[in-house]
Amino acid sequence: MITSAVVEGVKGRRDGLLVAEVFGPTLQGEGPSMGAPAVFVRLSRCNLACLWCDTPYTWDWSRFDPRAQSRTWTVPDLAGWVLDHPIELVVVTGGEPLLQQGPLTVLVEQLAAAGRRVEVETNGTRAPGRRLVESGSWFNVSPKLANSGMPEHRRIVPDALAVLVGSGRARFKFVLRDPSDLEEVADLAGRFGLAPVWVMPEGTAAEAVLGGARRVAEEVIARGWGLSLRLHVLLWGDARGR
Ligand code: SF4
C-alpha cells in the first residue's frame, strides 16, 4: 500500500533529485535534436496525468510503487554519472523536471560548466527561474492538447508559457493523436506566441508513429512547422531506457 508518508518521501530531498532512471549513450528520439547522440536523466513526479502518458512509472503511484521506481540521487553523483559519458547532449526529462527546479538548476549549471548542452523537457506549466534560464539550458516545451484528457486550466498556464517564450531558449513540441489536432496547435501558438513549433505523432509502436506522421506531413510543411518522429520507438518499440 502506498501511504501518504511514502508519497511525501518520494518528493525528494532539497539537495537531491528524485530520479526514475538514467540511461545512455543513446539517441535523442524527439524534437529538434532527434538523432543526436545523448545521455538521459529521467526525473520522477509530474503535475499532470495525461491519458496517453508513456512514462506513468514516474508519477502514477496508484499503479507503480515509488520505492521501486525511483531513487534520490545527489547532484554531484548525478553530474558524475553524466560526465562519465563523453556525450555532448544531456536530456533531462520526466515526469515534469521543473517540479524539482532547485537541485535541477544546480545540476544544469554543473553540466553546462563542463561543456555539455542540456535540454530540459517540460510540459510548460511551470516557469523556469532566472538562474535556470541563465544556466544555458534549452527547453523542449510540450504543452498538452485536449487529447491529453487534462482540463485546459491545468495544462495551459499562460504565465509559465510567457516566461518560456521570453527565455529565447524554448522550442514547442505538440503531441498529435489526430490531424484535427493541428488546428488546436495553431490556436495555442497564436494566442501565446509559441515558436518554433514542432509536432509529433503519439504512439508506442513504429506503425502508429509513421502513420500519424504521414497523415500530417503535408499540412505541417504548409504551416512552416517542424515534424518530429519518435526515433526510439521506430528503433526499439516501447522498450524502457532507450
Ligand atoms: S506531462 Fe508528460 S510525464 Fe506528465 S503525465 Fe503528461 S505525458 Fe506523462
Side-chain angles (χ1 to χ4, degrees):
M1 177 182 167
I2 309 302
T3 66
S4 59
V6 169
V7 172
E8 187 66 24
V10 299
K11 287 181 178 176
R13 301 195 312 259
R14 287 177 63 85
D15 59 343
L17 284 152
L18 193 68
V19 177
E21 56 194 354
V22 294
F23 57 95
T26 184
L27 303 170
Q28 167 61 304
E30 303 177 356
S33 303
M34 188 178 76
V39 292
F40 276 73
V41 174
R42 185 184 303 286
L43 301 185
S44 292
R45 300 177 59 216
C46 191
N47 58 333
L48 299 182
C50 303
L51 288 175
W52 40 257
C53 181
D54 60 356
T55 55
Y57 52 88
T58 64
W59 58 268
D60 188 353
W61 308 142
S62 70
R63 294 165 56 200
F64 297 90
D65 180 351
R67 293 162 296 197
Q69 300 292 340
S70 302
R71 80 175 174 97
T72 301
W73 288 61
T74 67
V75 170
D77 283 352
L78 207 44
W81 181 87
V82 170
L83 296 176
D84 275 346
H85 299 84
I87 304 289
E88 183 188 12
L89 177 60
V90 182
V91 182
V92 182
T93 189
E96 173 44 57
L98 292 186
L99 296 183
Q100 305 189 65
Q101 187 166 169
L104 170 65
T105 299
V106 178
L107 175 69
V108 173
E109 287 174 340
Q110 292 185 7
L111 297 177
R116 302 305 168 94
R117 186 162 63 91
V118 183
E119 294 183 354
V120 174
E121 302 195 320
T122 174
N123 60 29
T125 61
R126 298 293 174 109
R130 184 192 298 180
R131 223 178 115 181
L132 182 55
V133 170
E134 292 179 350
S135 72
S137 174
W138 291 92
F139 298 99
N140 297 343
V141 186
S142 185
K144 297 303 178 269
L145 303 178
N147 67 33
S148 66
M150 300 302 298
E152 180 165 333
H153 73 274
R154 288 191 59 190
R155 59 185 167 80
I156 302 297
V157 179
D159 289 350
L161 291 175
V163 172
L164 287 158
V165 169
S167 75
R169 304 190 68 79
R171 299 78 70 93
F172 297 87
K173 183 189 72 191
F174 296 86
V175 177
L176 308 176
R177 293 195 97 177
D178 186 272
S180 63
D181 292 339
L182 292 171
E183 276 305 315
E184 189 181 349
V185 174
D187 174 63
L188 289 171
R191 280 162 62 196
F192 300 106
L194 311 181
V197 169
W198 287 70
V199 297
M200 180 184 79
E202 184 256 338
T204 53
E207 300 73 26
V209 172
L210 283 172
R214 288 180 181 129
R215 281 194 291 278
V216 299
E218 295 300 338
E219 190 171 343
V220 169
I221 293 167
R223 290 179 183 270
W225 296 343
L227 176 60
S228 172
L229 300 175
R230 305 190 76 210
L231 185 60
H232 52 301
V233 171
L234 301 188
L235 294 172
W236 300 299
D238 64 352
R240 187 166 162 179
R242 297 309 303 263

